[in-house]
Amino acid sequence: MAYETLIVEIEDYIALIRLNRPDALNALNSKLLSELAVALGEADKDDSVRCIIITGSEKAFAAGADIKEMSEKTFVDMFGEDFFARESDAIMRTRKPIIAAVSGYALGGGCELAMACDFIIASDTAKFGQPEINLGVVAGIGGTQRLTRFVGKSKSMDMHLTGRFMDAAEAERSGLVSRVVPAKDLLSETKKAAAKIAEKSMLTSLAVKECVNRSYETTLREGILFERRVFHALFATEDQKEGMAAFLEKRQPQFRDR
Ligand SMILES: CC(C)=CC(=O)SCCNC(=O)CCNC(=O)[C@H](O)C(C)(C)COP(=O)(O)OP(=O)(O)OC[C@H]1O[C@@H](n2cnc3c(N)ncnc32)[C@H](O)[C@@H]1OP(=O)(O)O
């Protein structure tokens, strides 16, 4: 499909989805978010894709939801359309691993989009924030919930109540991002991480995602039981036999997603 607000490239089993609204610092409007939902759905179905990267420009991953689009909306519009619900659910429905490669601003909906990915690799120029309070609203794509789980209540309250930005070093210290790399290396380092994931059994990658995500949804006891059952189930796969045989035979595994 041809997109107006995204550039999508598929190469070496990696789908690179670049947000592309340069005039508005990649502000997330309905068009971009619905195109992103379609692109993620396509990548999830495509057998030539084993990992997905979402990125923006050097200056902005995304500077938030599109304020121009939202400014005239009423409660009836927002509630009636269930604004952003379908689109943000599409990210959560994506089963393949998604990495957010963040350079520059990741604010409001931009920060929320990055947090909805499986992990974040940030450039040393990245700035994260939930400044919706300055606009008289709260985060609407999961920010109050996800940021709190990532960085804890105190820092999350600070970010949401003051609207201040967090730089890359603070984001890494706080557990919001998994690693920080120099801006010029952001894409190459993220592609290396994606290539590592692409080498693994897709079945096991999907299982890892389900297990880790379950830790957000349930009690520790239930989560551990869920993980154990998934662990047991993977012994029904050819990839478990191959992975363990390859280790014992001192060779690289050849996974077949079976
Ligand atoms: C998910 C929910 C429910 C809510 C949200 O996400 S609300 C939005 C939260 N984000 C923000 O409040 C950030 C808004 N943007 C800024 O504060 C600044 O743009 C900046 C600090 C990120 C960058 O400032 P800078 O001076 O470098 O650039 P600008 O001239 O301000 O921006 C360039 C260009 O982009 C347009 N822009 C930026 N952000 C948005 C946005 N969120 N929505 C719509 N448009 C945006 C900005 O208006 C300007 O365009 P014009 O030159 O046409 O005015």
Side-chain angles (χ1 to χ4, degrees), residues 115-145:
M115 290 192 291
C117 296
D118 295 313
F119 64 99
I120 303 174
I121 299 182
S123 85
D124 49 11
T125 63
K127 289 181 195 65
F128 298 87
Q130 297 288 163
E132 290 90 343
I133 194 160
N134 299 328
L135 304 167
V137 290
V138 299
I141 319 180
T144 58
Q145 307 304 299

Side-chain angles (χ1 to χ4, degrees), residues 128-196:
F128 298 87
Q130 297 288 163
E132 290 90 343
I133 194 160
N134 299 328
L135 304 167
V137 290
V138 299
I141 319 180
T144 58
Q145 307 304 299
R146 287 202 177 94
L147 189 65
T148 308
R149 283 165 165 79
F150 281 117
V151 306
K153 178 184 166 189
S154 184
K155 204 175 275 284
S156 176
M157 282 287 191
D158 176 4
M159 302 291 294
H160 286 283
L161 287 171
T162 66
R164 78 173 174 89
F165 300 166
M166 192 192 270
D167 67 16
E170 185 182 1
E172 187 179 29
R173 259 195 332 271
S174 316
L176 175 57
V177 310
S178 72
R179 21 182 151 157
V180 177
V181 298
K184 65 176 179 29
D185 301 329
L186 178 65
L187 219 48
S188 60
E189 288 299 317
T190 308
K191 283 183 179 175
K192 273 190 219 162
K196 274 265 164 240

Side-chain angles (χ1 to χ4, degrees), residues 21-29 33 59-60 62-70 78 83-84 104-113 127 129-135 137-143 165:
R21 293 192 67 213
D23 298 343
L25 301 183
N26 294 327
L28 307 171
N29 62 8
L33 283 170
K59 179 162 181 187
D66 191 317
I67 300 167
K68 284 176 199 143
E69 183 184 64
M70 286 186 299
M78 297 300 269
F83 207 69
F84 290 155
Y105 296 110
L107 305 177
C111 186
E112 294 170 291
L113 171 60
K127 289 181 195 65
Q130 297 288 163
E132 290 90 343
I133 194 160
N134 299 328
L135 304 167
V137 290
V138 299
I141 319 180
F165 300 166

